[in-house]
Amino acid sequence: MSFSSNVKSEICRLLPAQKCCCRAQCFGILLFCNTFSSDVIRIVTESRELAGILPKLFKKAFGFGFDEEPEADSSKLCFVIHRREKINTILEVYGFSAQDTVALHVNLSVLEEDCCKISFLRGAFLAGGSVTDPVKGYHLELDTSHMFVGRETYPLIEEMLGVYPKQTTRAGNHVLYFKQSDSIEDFLTLLGAPVAAMGIMEARLEKELKNKVNRRCNCDDANTTKVVDAAQVHLAAIRRLEENGMLASLPQKLQQAAQARLENPEASLTELAGLMEPPITKSSMSHRLKRLAELAQEG
């Protein structure tokens, strides 16, 4: 199963206890499903968990079931209502009329309580939502063919979540989406999928840890390169002083610094400073080595 399928499976374990919430969840499903008109209602899903609860939801919400239900072995599960009296009943519940379903919208009078608003968003995601596997990236979206529905769901999400989703259109549909991992985590938790939300959090933390390790390794590599390059400059200067017979005549502090560098070509300035007798500071060690380089150039 895909990550998105697992999320829907987790959400489907929560069945609304109250009739109002059940109607709200069905409302979300209908407005984000394949077809919702005065002629036919068609809900197509690949989620067997959603297919398992749909008949129960509609029975509790409206007192009747679907006119057509899918075969058990179907890959795409299609639920259909075509009987006129059933469709009229559903339309009336949501404040619509059979004569005017051209521009469906979110009837907020059906979603007065917070529990109903959450149930509506839960149904919207089950019917028209998807979420990317966090290992690949962060993207959650709700897709509806009803423009007004998308625009009116937008502030509803902000009311319940505290952040606005982004909006776009695709193939004539209205799409609401999140690309921030924390917003996706909060939204899935709101819908009743805390396990999936935790999975996204764990994936994000793992990515952040890997990035931190990579940055540290890159930084260490860069620092090592600087140390090696600086050491080569020091060694070349010391060898030149030796060849010119100047090293033995230098002050003891400079001779001691030169000897430490020759014996420890890969050591850092801090490490070399600790080898002095007595130990000195990093800046003092740097000064001595720079002085050796200057004398080599002068000689």
Side-chain angles (χ1 to χ4, degrees):
M1 292 177 66
S2 67
F3 183 79
S4 192
S5 297
N6 288 333
V7 173
K8 291 184 179 183
S9 177
E10 184 178 357
I11 293 173
C12 285
R13 295 171 190 167
L14 299 171
L15 283 174
Q18 300 179 359
K19 186 174 183 179
C20 61
C21 292
C22 196
R23 285 186 168 182
Q25 186 159 329
C26 287
F27 197 22
I29 292 172
L30 289 165
L31 292 179
F32 284 80
C33 73
N34 303 79
T35 307
F36 179 28
S37 70
S38 59
D39 296 320
V40 65
I41 292 173
R42 183 177 292 104
I43 304 169
V44 181
T45 180
E46 295 181 359
S47 170
R48 295 197 172 275
E49 288 74 18
L50 176 56
I53 68 169
L54 270 176
K56 299 175 185 177
L57 285 171
F58 273 68
K59 183 69 174 178
K60 187 170 183 178
F62 311 113
F64 53 76
F66 292 92
D67 296 329
E68 297 178 19
E69 294 191 12
E71 299 291 336
D73 57 350
S74 301
S75 58
K76 286 195 174 182
L77 308 167
C78 183
F79 294 81
V80 179
I81 295 177
H82 50 69
R83 291 178 60 181
R84 182 71 61 179
E85 63 273 17
K86 289 184 178 181
I87 294 176
N88 287 344
T89 297
I90 293 173
L91 291 172
E92 289 173 5
V93 165
Y94 298 123
F96 304 131
S97 67
Q99 290 73 36
D100 184 18
T101 57
V102 176
L104 294 175
H105 63 92
V106 179
N107 187 350
L108 294 178
S109 66
V110 183
L111 311 176
E112 293 183 351
E113 303 296 331
D114 285 351
C115 57
C116 294
K117 294 172 184 175
I118 294 172
S119 294
F120 173 83
L121 294 175
R122 188 178 293 135
F125 180 80
L126 288 173
S130 64
V131 57
T132 303
D133 189 327
V135 174
K136 300 177 181 178
Y138 306 120
H139 184 89
L140 180 148
E141 69 175 44
L142 298 175
D143 188 330
T144 177
S145 60
H146 307 293
M147 191 64 65
F148 287 125
V149 170
R151 291 174 179 171
E152 293 166 354
T153 302
Y154 175 81
L156 184 62
I157 292 176
E158 192 279 333
E159 178 185 352
M160 301 309 300
L161 201 62
V163 293
Y164 285 107
K166 294 183 178 180
Q167 302 182 82
T168 189
T169 56
R170 185 194 305 134
N173 286 2
H174 193 276
V175 181
L176 304 171
Y177 66 96
F178 288 111
K179 281 189 173 294
Q180 300 80 21
S181 61
D182 53 346
S183 297
I184 296 174
E185 292 164 19
D186 292 343
F187 188 65
L188 292 182
T189 301
L190 179 72
L191 298 187
V195 175
M198 185 63 67
I200 293 177
M201 183 182 298
E202 290 173 352
R204 174 172 55 82
L205 293 175
E206 185 175 349
K207 287 180 182 178
E208 290 175 354
L209 179 60
K210 287 182 179 178
N211 291 336
K212 185 176 181 180
V213 170
N214 288 336
R215 286 194 298 270
R216 181 63 182 271
C217 289
N218 292 337
C219 182
D220 290 344
D221 289 344
N223 289 337
T224 300
T225 300
K226 290 180 181 178
V227 169
V228 171
D229 291 344
Q232 293 304 313
V233 173
H234 301 154
L235 292 170
I238 294 168
R239 292 191 185 101
R240 185 172 181 181
L241 291 171
E242 282 184 318
E243 292 170 358
N244 294 340
M246 298 173 60
L247 187 61
S249 63
L250 294 177
Q252 184 180 1
K253 291 181 179 181
L254 294 181
Q255 290 189 44
Q256 187 184 23
Q259 187 64 30
R261 172 50 85 193
L262 287 171
E263 294 176 354
N264 304 275
E266 297 181 357
S268 66
L269 290 177
T270 301
E271 292 169 336
L272 290 175
L275 296 173
M276 298 295 98
E277 291 293 342
I280 60 176
T281 63
K282 176 183 176 181
S283 60
S284 295
M285 189 69 204
S286 176
H287 176 74
R288 292 184 187 184
L289 292 172
K290 285 181 181 179
R291 183 56 183 159
L292 288 171
E294 291 171 354
L295 290 171
Q297 288 180 345
E298 293 172 2

Coordinates of all heavy atoms in Angstrom, one line a residue, residues 178-244:
F178 N -0.7 21.6 0.6 CA 0.4 22.0 1.6 C 1.7 21.4 1.1 O 1.7 20.2 0.6 CB 0.1 21.5 3.0 CG -1.0 22.2 3.7 CD1 -2.2 21.5 3.9 CD2 -0.9 23.5 4.1 CE1 -3.3 22.1 4.6 CE2 -1.9 24.1 4.8 CZ -3.1 23.4 5.0
K179 N 2.8 22.1 1.3 CA 4.1 21.6 1.0 C 5.0 21.7 2.2 O 6.2 21.3 2.2 CB 4.8 22.3 -0.2 CG 4.2 21.8 -1.5 CD 5.0 22.4 -2.7 CE 4.6 21.7 -4.0 NZ 5.0 20.3 -4.0
Q180 N 4.5 22.2 3.4 CA 5.3 22.3 4.6 C 5.0 21.0 5.4 O 3.8 20.7 5.7 CB 5.0 23.5 5.4 CG 5.2 24.8 4.6 CD 4.1 25.2 3.6 OE1 3.0 24.7 3.8 NE2 4.5 26.0 2.7
S181 N 6.1 20.4 5.9 CA 5.9 19.1 6.6 C 5.1 19.3 7.9 O 4.2 18.5 8.3 CB 7.2 18.5 7.0 OG 8.0 19.4 7.8
D182 N 5.3 20.4 8.6 CA 4.6 20.7 9.9 C 3.1 20.9 9.6 O 2.3 20.4 10.4 CB 5.2 21.8 10.7 CG 5.3 23.1 9.8 OD1 5.2 23.0 8.6 OD2 5.6 24.2 10.4
S183 N 2.8 21.6 8.5 CA 1.3 21.8 8.2 C 0.7 20.5 7.9 O -0.5 20.2 8.3 CB 1.2 22.8 7.1 OG 1.7 24.0 7.4
I184 N 1.4 19.6 7.1 CA 0.8 18.3 6.8 C 0.7 17.4 8.0 O -0.4 16.8 8.2 CB 1.7 17.6 5.8 CG1 1.8 18.4 4.4 CG2 1.3 16.2 5.5 CD1 2.8 17.9 3.4
E185 N 1.6 17.5 8.9 CA 1.5 16.7 10.2 C 0.3 17.2 11.0 O -0.5 16.3 11.5 CB 2.8 16.9 11.0 CG 4.0 16.3 10.4 CD 5.3 16.9 11.1 OE1 5.2 17.5 12.2 OE2 6.4 16.8 10.5
D186 N 0.1 18.5 11.1 CA -1.0 19.0 11.8 C -2.4 18.7 11.2 O -3.3 18.3 11.9 CB -0.9 20.5 12.0 CG 0.3 21.0 12.9 OD1 0.8 20.1 13.6 OD2 0.7 22.1 12.8
F187 N -2.4 18.7 9.8 CA -3.6 18.4 9.1 C -4.0 17.0 9.3 O -5.2 16.6 9.6 CB -3.5 18.8 7.7 CG -4.8 18.7 6.9 CD1 -5.8 19.6 7.1 CD2 -4.9 17.8 5.9 CE1 -7.0 19.5 6.4 CE2 -6.1 17.7 5.2 CZ -7.2 18.6 5.4
L188 N -3.1 16.1 9.2 CA -3.3 14.6 9.3 C -3.8 14.3 10.8 O -4.6 13.5 11.0 CB -2.1 13.8 8.9 CG -1.8 13.8 7.4 CD1 -0.6 12.9 7.2 CD2 -2.9 13.4 6.6
T189 N -3.1 15.0 11.7 CA -3.5 14.8 13.1 C -5.0 15.2 13.3 O -5.8 14.6 14.0 CB -2.6 15.5 14.1 OG1 -1.2 15.1 13.9 CG2 -3.0 15.3 15.5
L190 N -5.3 16.4 12.7 CA -6.7 16.9 12.8 C -7.7 15.9 12.2 O -8.8 15.7 12.8 CB -6.8 18.2 12.0 CG -8.2 18.9 12.0 CD1 -8.5 19.5 13.4 CD2 -8.2 20.0 10.9
L191 N -7.3 15.3 11.1 CA -8.2 14.3 10.5 C -8.4 13.0 11.2 O -9.3 12.2 11.0 CB -7.8 14.0 9.1 CG -7.7 15.2 8.1 CD1 -7.4 14.7 6.7 CD2 -9.0 16.0 8.1
G192 N -7.4 12.7 12.2 CA -7.5 11.5 12.9 C -6.5 10.5 12.4 O -6.7 9.3 12.5
A193 N -5.3 10.9 11.9 CA -4.3 10.0 11.5 C -2.9 10.4 12.2 O -2.0 10.8 11.5 CB -4.1 10.1 9.9
P194 N -2.9 10.3 13.5 CA -1.6 10.7 14.2 C -0.5 9.8 13.9 O 0.7 10.2 13.9 CB -2.1 10.6 15.7 CG -3.2 9.6 15.7 CD -3.9 9.8 14.4
V195 N -0.7 8.5 13.6 CA 0.4 7.6 13.2 C 1.1 8.1 12.0 O 2.3 8.1 11.9 CB -0.1 6.1 13.1 CG1 1.0 5.2 12.6 CG2 -0.7 5.7 14.4
A196 N 0.3 8.4 11.0 CA 0.9 8.9 9.7 C 1.6 10.2 9.9 O 2.6 10.5 9.4 CB -0.2 9.1 8.7
A197 N 1.0 11.1 10.8 CA 1.7 12.4 11.1 C 3.0 12.1 11.7 O 4.0 12.8 11.5 CB 0.8 13.2 12.0
M198 N 3.1 11.1 12.6 CA 4.3 10.8 13.3 C 5.3 10.3 12.3 O 6.5 10.5 12.4 CB 4.1 9.8 14.4 CG 5.3 9.4 15.2 SD 5.9 10.9 16.2 CE 4.6 11.1 17.3
G199 N 4.8 9.5 11.3 CA 5.7 9.0 10.3 C 6.4 10.1 9.5 O 7.6 10.1 9.1
I200 N 5.6 11.2 9.2 CA 6.2 12.4 8.5 C 7.2 13.1 9.4 O 8.3 13.5 8.9 CB 5.0 13.3 8.1 CG1 4.1 12.7 7.0 CG2 5.6 14.6 7.6 CD1 3.0 13.5 6.6
M201 N 6.9 13.2 10.7 CA 7.8 13.8 11.6 C 9.1 13.1 11.7 O 10.2 13.7 11.6 CB 7.2 14.0 13.0 CG 8.0 14.7 14.0 SD 7.3 14.7 15.6 CE 5.8 15.7 15.3
E202 N 9.0 11.8 11.8 CA 10.2 10.9 11.8 C 11.1 11.0 10.6 O 12.3 11.1 10.6 CB 9.8 9.5 12.1 CG 9.3 9.2 13.5 CD 8.8 7.8 13.7 OE1 8.7 7.1 12.6 OE2 8.4 7.4 14.8
A203 N 10.4 11.1 9.4 CA 11.1 11.2 8.1 C 11.8 12.5 8.0 O 12.9 12.7 7.6 CB 10.1 11.0 7.0
R204 N 11.1 13.6 8.5 CA 11.7 14.9 8.5 C 12.9 15.0 9.4 O 14.0 15.5 9.0 CB 10.7 16.0 8.9 CG 11.2 17.4 9.1 CD 10.1 18.4 9.3 NE 9.3 18.0 10.5 CZ 9.6 18.3 11.7 NH1 10.8 18.9 12.0 NH2 8.8 18.0 12.7
L205 N 12.8 14.4 10.6 CA 14.0 14.5 11.5 C 15.1 13.7 11.0 O 16.3 14.1 11.2 CB 13.5 13.9 12.9 CG 12.5 14.7 13.7 CD1 12.1 14.0 15.0 CD2 13.1 16.1 14.0
E206 N 14.8 12.6 10.3 CA 15.9 11.7 9.7 C 16.6 12.5 8.6 O 17.9 12.5 8.5 CB 15.3 10.4 9.2 CG 16.4 9.5 8.7 CD 15.8 8.2 8.2 OE1 14.6 7.9 8.5 OE2 16.5 7.4 7.6
K207 N 15.8 13.2 7.8 CA 16.4 14.1 6.7 C 17.3 15.2 7.3 O 18.4 15.4 6.9 CB 15.4 14.7 5.9 CG 14.7 13.7 4.9 CD 13.6 14.4 4.1 CE 12.9 13.4 3.2 NZ 11.8 14.1 2.4
E208 N 16.8 15.8 8.4 CA 17.5 16.9 9.0 C 18.8 16.4 9.6 O 19.9 17.1 9.5 CB 16.7 17.6 10.1 CG 15.5 18.4 9.5 CD 14.6 18.9 10.6 OE1 14.8 18.6 11.8 OE2 13.7 19.7 10.3
L209 N 18.8 15.2 10.2 CA 20.0 14.6 10.8 C 21.0 14.3 9.7 O 22.2 14.6 9.9 CB 19.6 13.3 11.6 CG 20.8 12.6 12.2 CD1 21.5 13.5 13.2 CD2 20.3 11.3 12.9
K210 N 20.6 13.7 8.6 CA 21.5 13.4 7.5 C 22.1 14.7 6.9 O 23.3 14.7 6.6 CB 20.7 12.6 6.4 CG 20.4 11.2 6.8 CD 19.7 10.5 5.6 CE 19.4 9.0 6.0 NZ 18.6 8.4 4.8
N211 N 21.3 15.7 6.8 CA 21.8 17.0 6.3 C 22.8 17.6 7.2 O 23.8 18.1 6.7 CB 20.6 18.0 6.0 CG 19.7 17.6 4.9 OD1 20.2 16.8 4.0 ND2 18.5 18.0 4.9
K212 N 22.5 17.4 8.5 CA 23.5 18.0 9.5 C 24.8 17.2 9.4 O 25.9 17.8 9.5 CB 22.9 17.9 10.9 CG 23.7 18.5 12.0 CD 23.0 18.5 13.3 CE 23.8 19.2 14.4 NZ 23.1 19.1 15.7
V213 N 24.7 15.9 9.3 CA 25.9 15.1 9.2 C 26.7 15.4 8.0 O 27.9 15.6 8.0 CB 25.6 13.6 9.3 CG1 26.8 12.7 8.9 CG2 25.0 13.2 10.6
N214 N 26.0 15.6 6.9 CA 26.7 15.9 5.6 C 27.3 17.3 5.7 O 28.5 17.4 5.2 CB 25.6 15.9 4.4 CG 25.2 14.5 4.1 OD1 25.9 13.5 4.3 ND2 24.0 14.4 3.5
R215 N 26.6 18.2 6.3 CA 27.3 19.6 6.4 C 28.5 19.5 7.3 O 29.5 20.2 7.0 CB 26.2 20.6 7.0 CG 25.2 21.0 6.0 CD 24.4 22.2 6.6 NE 23.7 22.0 7.8 CZ 22.5 21.5 7.9 NH1 21.8 21.3 6.8 NH2 21.9 21.3 9.1
R216 N 28.4 18.7 8.4 CA 29.6 18.6 9.3 C 30.7 17.9 8.5 O 31.9 18.4 8.7 CB 29.1 17.8 10.5 CG 30.3 17.6 11.5 CD 30.7 18.9 12.1 NE 31.8 18.7 13.1 CZ 31.6 18.5 14.4 NH1 30.3 18.5 14.8 NH2 32.6 18.4 15.2
C217 N 30.4 16.9 7.8 CA 31.5 16.2 7.0 C 32.1 17.1 6.0 O 33.3 17.1 5.8 CB 30.9 14.9 6.3 SG 30.5 13.6 7.4
N218 N 31.3 17.9 5.3 CA 31.8 18.8 4.3 C 32.7 19.9 5.0 O 33.7 20.3 4.4 CB 30.7 19.5 3.6 CG 29.9 18.5 2.7 OD1 30.4 17.5 2.3 ND2 28.7 18.8 2.3
C219 N 32.2 20.3 6.1 CA 33.0 21.3 6.9 C 34.3 20.8 7.3 O 35.4 21.4 7.2 CB 32.2 21.8 8.1 SG 33.0 23.1 9.1
D220 N 34.3 19.5 7.9 CA 35.5 18.9 8.3 C 36.5 18.7 7.1 O 37.7 18.8 7.3 CB 35.2 17.5 8.9 CG 34.5 17.6 10.3 OD1 34.5 18.8 10.9 OD2 33.9 16.7 10.8
D221 N 35.9 18.3 6.0 CA 36.8 18.1 4.8 C 37.4 19.4 4.4 O 38.6 19.4 4.0 CB 35.9 17.5 3.6 CG 35.5 16.1 3.8 OD1 36.1 15.4 4.7 OD2 34.6 15.7 3.1
A222 N 36.6 20.5 4.5 CA 37.2 21.8 4.1 C 38.3 22.2 5.1 O 39.3 22.7 4.7 CB 36.1 22.8 4.1
N223 N 38.0 22.0 6.4 CA 39.0 22.3 7.4 C 40.3 21.5 7.2 O 41.4 22.0 7.4 CB 38.4 22.2 8.8 CG 37.4 23.2 9.1 OD1 37.3 24.3 8.5 ND2 36.5 22.9 10.0
T224 N 40.1 20.2 6.9 CA 41.3 19.4 6.7 C 42.1 19.8 5.5 O 43.3 19.9 5.6 CB 40.8 17.9 6.5 OG1 40.1 17.5 7.6 CG2 42.0 17.0 6.2
T225 N 41.4 20.2 4.5 CA 42.1 20.7 3.3 C 42.9 22.0 3.6 O 44.1 22.1 3.2 CB 41.1 21.0 2.2 OG1 40.4 19.8 1.8 CG2 41.8 21.6 0.9
K226 N 42.3 22.9 4.4 CA 43.0 24.1 4.8 C 44.2 23.8 5.6 O 45.3 24.4 5.5 CB 42.1 25.0 5.6 CG 41.0 25.6 4.8 CD 40.1 26.5 5.7 CE 38.9 27.1 4.9 NZ 38.0 28.0 5.7
V227 N 44.1 22.8 6.6 CA 45.2 22.4 7.4 C 46.4 21.9 6.6 O 47.5 22.2 6.8 CB 44.8 21.4 8.5 CG1 46.0 20.8 9.2 CG2 43.8 22.1 9.5
V228 N 46.0 21.0 5.7 CA 47.0 20.4 4.8 C 47.7 21.4 3.9 O 49.0 21.4 3.8 CB 46.4 19.3 3.9 CG1 47.4 18.8 2.9 CG2 45.9 18.1 4.8
D229 N 47.0 22.3 3.3 CA 47.5 23.3 2.5 C 48.5 24.2 3.3 O 49.6 24.6 2.8 CB 46.4 24.2 1.8 CG 45.6 23.4 0.8 OD1 46.1 22.3 0.4 OD2 44.5 23.9 0.4
A230 N 48.0 24.6 4.5 CA 48.9 25.5 5.3 C 50.2 24.8 5.8 O 51.3 25.3 5.8 CB 48.1 25.9 6.6
A231 N 50.0 23.5 6.1 CA 51.2 22.7 6.5 C 52.2 22.6 5.4 O 53.4 22.6 5.6 CB 50.7 21.3 6.9
Q232 N 51.7 22.4 4.1 CA 52.7 22.3 3.0 C 53.5 23.6 2.8 O 54.7 23.6 2.5 CB 51.9 22.0 1.7 CG 51.2 20.7 1.7 CD 52.2 19.5 1.9 OE1 53.3 19.5 1.3 NE2 51.9 18.6 2.8
V233 N 52.8 24.8 3.1 CA 53.5 26.0 3.0 C 54.6 26.1 4.1 O 55.7 26.5 3.9 CB 52.5 27.2 3.2 CG1 53.3 28.5 3.3 CG2 51.5 27.2 2.0
H234 N 54.2 25.7 5.3 CA 55.2 25.7 6.4 C 56.4 24.8 6.1 O 57.5 25.2 6.3 CB 54.5 25.2 7.7 CG 53.3 26.1 8.1 ND1 52.3 25.6 8.9 CD2 53.0 27.4 7.9 CE1 51.4 26.5 9.1 NE2 51.8 27.6 8.4
L235 N 56.1 23.6 5.7 CA 57.2 22.6 5.4 C 58.1 23.1 4.3 O 59.3 22.9 4.4 CB 56.6 21.3 5.0 CG 55.8 20.5 6.2 CD1 55.0 19.3 5.6 CD2 56.7 20.1 7.3
A236 N 57.5 23.7 3.3 CA 58.4 24.2 2.2 C 59.3 25.3 2.7 O 60.5 25.4 2.3 CB 57.5 24.7 1.1
A237 N 58.8 26.2 3.6 CA 59.6 27.3 4.1 C 60.7 26.7 5.0 O 61.9 27.2 5.0 CB 58.7 28.2 4.9
I238 N 60.4 25.7 5.9 CA 61.3 25.2 6.8 C 62.5 24.5 6.0 O 63.7 24.6 6.3 CB 60.7 24.2 7.8 CG1 59.7 25.0 8.7 CG2 61.7 23.4 8.6 CD1 58.8 24.1 9.5
R239 N 62.1 23.7 5.0 CA 63.1 23.0 4.2 C 64.0 24.1 3.5 O 65.3 23.8 3.3 CB 62.5 22.1 3.1 CG 61.7 21.0 3.8 CD 61.3 19.9 2.7 NE 60.5 18.9 3.3 CZ 59.2 18.8 3.2 NH1 58.5 19.7 2.6 NH2 58.5 17.8 3.8
R240 N 63.5 25.2 3.0 CA 64.3 26.2 2.4 C 65.3 26.8 3.4 O 66.4 27.1 3.0 CB 63.4 27.3 1.8 CG 64.1 28.3 1.0 CD 63.1 29.2 0.3 NE 63.9 30.2 -0.5 CZ 63.3 31.2 -1.2 NH1 61.9 31.3 -1.2 NH2 64.0 32.1 -1.9
L241 N 64.8 27.0 4.6 CA 65.7 27.6 5.7 C 66.8 26.6 6.0 O 68.0 27.0 6.2 CB 64.9 27.9 6.9 CG 63.9 29.1 6.8 CD1 63.0 29.1 8.1 CD2 64.7 30.4 6.7
E242 N 66.5 25.3 6.0 CA 67.5 24.3 6.2 C 68.5 24.3 5.1 O 69.7 24.2 5.3 CB 66.8 22.9 6.3 CG 66.2 22.6 7.6 CD 65.6 21.2 7.7 OE1 65.0 20.7 6.7 OE2 65.8 20.5 8.8
E243 N 68.0 24.3 3.8 CA 68.9 24.3 2.7 C 69.9 25.5 2.7 O 71.0 25.4 2.2 CB 68.1 24.3 1.4 CG 67.3 23.0 1.2 CD 66.4 23.0 0.0 OE1 66.3 24.1 -0.6 OE2 65.7 22.0 -0.3
N244 N 69.4 26.6 3.2 CA 70.2 27.9 3.2 C 71.1 28.0 4.4 O 71.8 29.0 4.6 CB 69.3 29.1 3.1 CG 68.5 29.2 1.7 OD1 69.0 28.6 0.8 ND2 67.5 30.0 1.7

